[in-house]
Every structure is written in C-alpha cells, then in structure tokens.
Amino acid sequence: MKKITIAIDGFSSCGKSTMAKELAKKIGYIYVDTGAMYRSVTLFAMRHGLFNADGSVKTDALKQQMSNIDITFKFNEKAGRPDTYLNGECVEEAIRTLDVSNHVSPIAAIPFVRAAMVARQQGMGRNKGIVMDGRDIGTTVFPEAELKVFVTASAEVRARRRYDELKEKGMPADFDDILKNVQERDYIDSHREVSPLRKAADAIELDNSHMTIAEQNDWLMRQVEQRIEG
Ligand SMILES: Nc1ncnc2c1ncn2[C@@H]1O[C@H](COP(=O)(O)OP(=O)(O)O)[C@@H](O)[C@H]1O
Ligand SMILES: Nc1ccn([C@@H]2O[C@H](COP(=O)(O)OP(=O)(O)O)[C@@H](O)[C@H]2O)c(=O)n1
C-alpha cells in the first residue's frame, strides 16, 4: 500500500495528538508530536534561566545554547505513543505543565528555534509513512502532504478537555487559568511572523466540538482510506 504524509494542525488542546497517535497506531505509521519539541526547548530555557522576568526570552543566550538541546522520541509500549526525551531525560510529564504551556508560545515564535525544529521534522518525514501534528505542518513542514487536516473546537470546549486531562493525571488545574492560556496561545500562535497558525488552502477543516473521540477517529480513518486508495 502506498505510504503518504499526514499533517494535522489546529488550535491548542483540540484533540490533534489524540487522533494522530491513534491513527498512526492503526496504520503502522510513525507519529510525531511537534508541540512536544517546542515544549522541550521551553523547558530547557526555563531550567537554564533563559527567560526575563517579564516572560520575554533571552534570545541571544538561547541561540548560543541551541546546539546543546537534543530532543528525541522513544516509543512507550504502555502508553502506546512516543515519549519525549530532552538530552536523554524523559520529560513527557514535565513538558505538559501549565507553567510550560504559559512560556511556550514566545519560544515557538523565534525564527532560529523554528528553523531548527522544522529541519528535524522534515528529516523524520523523509520516507513518508508519518502522521505529524502541530501548527505549521501542512503549511511549512510538509506543504506537499497528501492529507492535511485542520482541527478546531470552541475555546471553552478545549479548555474543559485540558482541565479534565490534568485533573485525571493528578496535576494542578484551574479552569479559568487554562482557558486564558488556550486563548493567549491561540492569539500568539496565529499572529507570529514566522509560520503563523493558519489553515492550509488544501486542508480539510474538522470542528470536533461535538464529536466523541471514536467519531473523530473514524472520520480521520475514512479520509486516509480515500487518499491511500485513490
Ligand atoms: N472529541 C473529543 N471529545 C472529548 N475529549 C477529547 C476529544 N478529543 C480529544 N479529547 C481530549 O482532549 C484533551 C486534549 O487533546 P489533545 O489530543 O492532547 O489535543 P492537542 O494535541 O490538540 O493539544 C485530551 O485529554 C483528550 O483526551
Ligand atoms: N508545529 C508546532 C507545534 C507547536 N507549536 C507551539 O508549541 C505550543 C505547544 O504545542 P502543543 O501542540 O503541545 O499544544 P497543545 O495543543 O497540546 O496544548 C503551541 O502553542 C505553539 O506555540 C508551534 O509553534 N508549532
């Protein structure tokens, strides 16, 4: 069966990685969560004092440190998805905190950070057979992807989903803080100069506000079948 490239973009916390990882498992593709890469750079910057007190980034210092940031993925059989490693340390949990979420968008707006991440992502997808989710996969990383999906849901629905997830994991969560974070990231991600979050002209839009996880997985599988058979 022919292998294709699948790009899943959209707003924060709308279910991109949930559907991407499930699809990859079903069809035996590699799954890459590009948000985890930007989150890992952010965690590194937080740990190394590369943020100013006002939340802005010490850009020159970060630039000098970029070659010391090694991000890798290793498949976790139990979780059924790849875990993210920063310089050899599993940071899967550490990169999902609200603190990291509150710092990530300024990091992801920096051109040299994006250039480094995009180069790595393109390398991982060189042989196709990949499902990648993020903000700029269909527009910048793989503009030639055979299937592009752009996912949306209302900000309240997305914040509720993230809130439920953090609660279930026993992590601190406040609904209003999460909603504010989701809205702020949407704004910064959509308005940055380099690769802003936007729907690619040839992407299919999916509003999953009122869909179950099973329904969206079925929907995505149908889209893939059409591309693979067609
Ligand atoms: N259709 C859905 N209905 C309810 N919850 C969902 C749905 N899709 C995803 N979720 C949940 O929403 C949360 C955010 O999903 P996630 O896949 O991490 O989003 P993203 O990758 O877009 O940030 C997760 O806890 C996930 O289980
Ligand atoms: N391809 C990507 C993926 C994420 N990002 C940035 O990384 C942040 C975290 O992405 P994420 O996918 O983990 O976020 P959630 O939607 O899971 O909350 C986003 O808010 C963007 O600022 C990006 O700029 N480009």
Side-chain angles (χ1 to χ4, degrees), residues 71-101:
I71 301 162
T72 50
F73 294 100
K74 204 173 359 168
F75 196 77
N76 177 333
E77 292 290 344
K78 210 167 133 214
R81 59 164 289 168
D83 279 341
T84 313
Y85 286 74
L86 170 62
N87 293 335
E89 174 197 350
C90 179
V91 290
E92 197 47 48
E93 196 160 300
I95 59 172
R96 309 284 169 196
T97 63
L98 188 57
D99 204 12
V100 170
S101 298

Side-chain angles (χ1 to χ4, degrees), residues 123-142:
M124 290 188 258
R126 200 176 298 121
N127 300 323
K128 297 189 179 252
I130 195 159
V131 186
M132 198 172 272
D133 83 298
R135 303 291 186 286
D136 61 338
I137 312 306
T139 52
T140 302
V141 181
F142 298 125

Side-chain angles (χ1 to χ4, degrees), residues 98-122:
L98 188 57
D99 204 12
V100 170
S101 298
N102 280 331
H103 286 84
V104 64
S105 285
I107 290 277
I110 299 171
F112 65 78
V113 173
R114 300 208 70 81
M117 298 302 120
V118 169
R120 291 242 16 230
Q121 291 152 11
Q122 289 174 334

Side-chain angles (χ1 to χ4, degrees), residues 11-19 133 161-162 165 208 211-213 216:
F11 295 98
S12 74
S13 312
C14 56
K16 301 181 298 296
S17 58
T18 302
M19 66 175 93
D133 83 298
R161 289 176 182 170
R162 189 58 90 209
E165 177 188 327
N208 70 358
M211 278 174 119
T212 65
I213 290 177
Q216 72 200 20

Side-chain angles (χ1 to χ4, degrees), residues 3 22 49-50 55 59 63-64 89 96 104 109 120 132 143 145 147 151 157-158 160 162 166 176-177 186-187 194:
K3 284 197 168 179
E22 191 55 36
L50 302 180
T59 315
K63 196 172 194 173
Q64 296 207 338
E89 174 197 350
R96 309 284 169 196
V104 64
R120 291 242 16 230
M132 198 172 272
L147 174 59
V151 195
V157 164
R158 292 184 281 127
R160 171 63 55 190
R162 189 58 90 209
L166 290 172
D176 292 336
D177 287 347
D186 286 351
Y187 184 86
V194 187

Side-chain angles (χ1 to χ4, degrees), residues 187-202:
Y187 184 86
I188 300 174
D189 294 346
S190 308
H191 289 83
R192 67 184 174 219
E193 269 180 37
V194 187
S195 293
L197 167 64
R198 62 179 173 78
K199 178 178 167 292
D202 52 350

